[in-house]
Amino acid sequence: EVQLVESGGGLVKPGGSLTLSCAASGFTSTNVWMSWVRQAPGKGLEWIGRIKSKTDGGTTDYAAPVKGRFIISRDDSKNMVYLQMKSLKIEDTAVYYCTTEGYIYGYHAFAMWGQGTMVTVSS
Amino acid sequence: QSALAQPASVSGSPGQSITISCTGTSSDIGRYDYVSWYQQHPGKAPKLMIYNVSNRPSGVSDRFSGSKSGNTASLTISGLQAEDEGDYYCSSYSTSSTLLFGGGTKLTVL
């Protein structure tokens, strides 16, 4: 079965750090761009960043609200993608989704999604 | 960069057609044909419904169609069904290699 499974969410204090993981199975993510998208409680979707495939340079891009605080990385040998979050703010509270970008369907379309993992930033 | 603009809500009766608009700028929707639409039901992950402005993934009903004119993209759902009720989000690739989402539209099937 083709799927993405996120883990690592939880409760963290403002200013703290947390690392989320995304395990890909049923397909080889090596040549796939991977993105993270978040959704604050009761709010809309927000793209926060991506990591390109190694064949496309393996570089990262980030949305302005998280640039300099979040780092996306990947370990293709394990079919894993990671989201390191530092200097967390209350407004980072959200469900975080791992998703494929441009896989199977078009460029910059998110075809596969994980179930999401909740991150709560609160004192 | 600001989110793309969508109406907060739309509604329609079963069998009717509805259209959801998504307005951006010349830096995103107006510049690239990388507009996608997603359906989200409560407590679930989003589902890709339209990609590259007007293409449907395998398995998505042909009642869903997409288009674009200038800086505005649109999603049309024809023959509305109860199962279509949910939240819909547009997205577009943008300059600076970023992705933007719309604020979301809640579709109610009356």
Side-chain angles (χ1 to χ4, degrees):
Chain A
E1 181 187 4
V2 176
Q3 65 176 352
L4 298 171
V5 178
E6 303 94 338
S7 60
L11 175 64
V12 61
K13 288 182 167 49
S17 301
L18 199 63
T19 296
L20 307 183
S21 301
C22 171
S25 61
F27 73 105
T28 302
S29 62
T30 303
N31 295 320
V32 180
W33 293 21
M34 301 296 295
S35 271
W36 287 90
V37 174
R38 68 183 180 185
Q39 186 169 34
K43 303 297 184 182
L45 302 172
E46 179 185 21
W47 178 83
I48 56 175
R50 73 161 70 83
I51 185 165
K52 298 179 182 178
S53 62
K54 288 283 196 299
T55 54
D56 287 326
T59 55
T60 52
D61 298 294
Y62 299 96
V66 306
K67 200 168 187 178
R69 299 189 299 124
F70 290 11
I71 297 174
I72 299 173
S73 60
R74 63 192 300 159
D75 184 341
D76 291 335
S77 68
K78 298 180 179 178
N79 255 12
M80 296 289 294
V81 179
Y82 305 97
L83 176 64
Q84 292 178 261
M85 303 183 291
K86 303 177 182 179
S87 303
L88 282 162
K89 306 175 181 180
I90 291 176
E91 52 263 39
D92 293 320
T93 295
V95 173
Y96 284 74
Y97 293 102
C98 170
T99 177
T100 59
E101 182 178 343
Y103 178 59
I104 302 177
Y105 299 114
Y107 290 103
H108 309 299
F110 304 116
M112 294 176 53
W113 296 72
Q115 84 288 352
T117 187
M118 183 71 202
V119 173
T120 302
V121 184
S122 174
S123 54
Chain B
Q1 287 164 304
S2 301
L4 306 173
Q6 296 182 234
S9 63
V10 298
S11 62
S13 299
Q16 287 185 332
S17 293
I18 63 95
T19 295
I20 300 172
S21 62
C22 173
T23 302
T25 69
S26 57
S27 295
D28 37 72
I29 292 177
R31 188 181 182 103
Y32 303 100
D33 285 336
Y34 299 138
V35 177
S36 302
W37 289 90
Y38 302 86
Q39 176 192 64
Q40 187 179 36
H41 290 132
K44 301 293 187 181
K47 175 186 176 182
L48 179 65
M49 304 301 285
I50 296 287
Y51 67 96
N52 290 6
V53 177
S54 60
N55 295 278
R56 279 187 309 276
S58 174
V60 172
S61 171
D62 60 5
R63 297 185 298 104
F64 291 82
S65 62
S67 63
K68 186 185 93 166
S69 177
N71 297 337
T72 298
S74 299
L75 172 72
T76 297
I77 308 173
S78 59
L80 213 53
Q81 299 179 1
E83 69 211 47
D84 299 332
E85 191 164 283
D87 296 322
Y88 290 82
Y89 296 90
C90 61
S91 77
S92 174
Y93 185 71
S94 179
T95 53
S96 303
S97 301
T98 57
L99 257 290
L100 296 176
F101 278 101
T105 298
K106 182 177 182 62
L107 169 61
T108 301
V109 180
L110 303 171

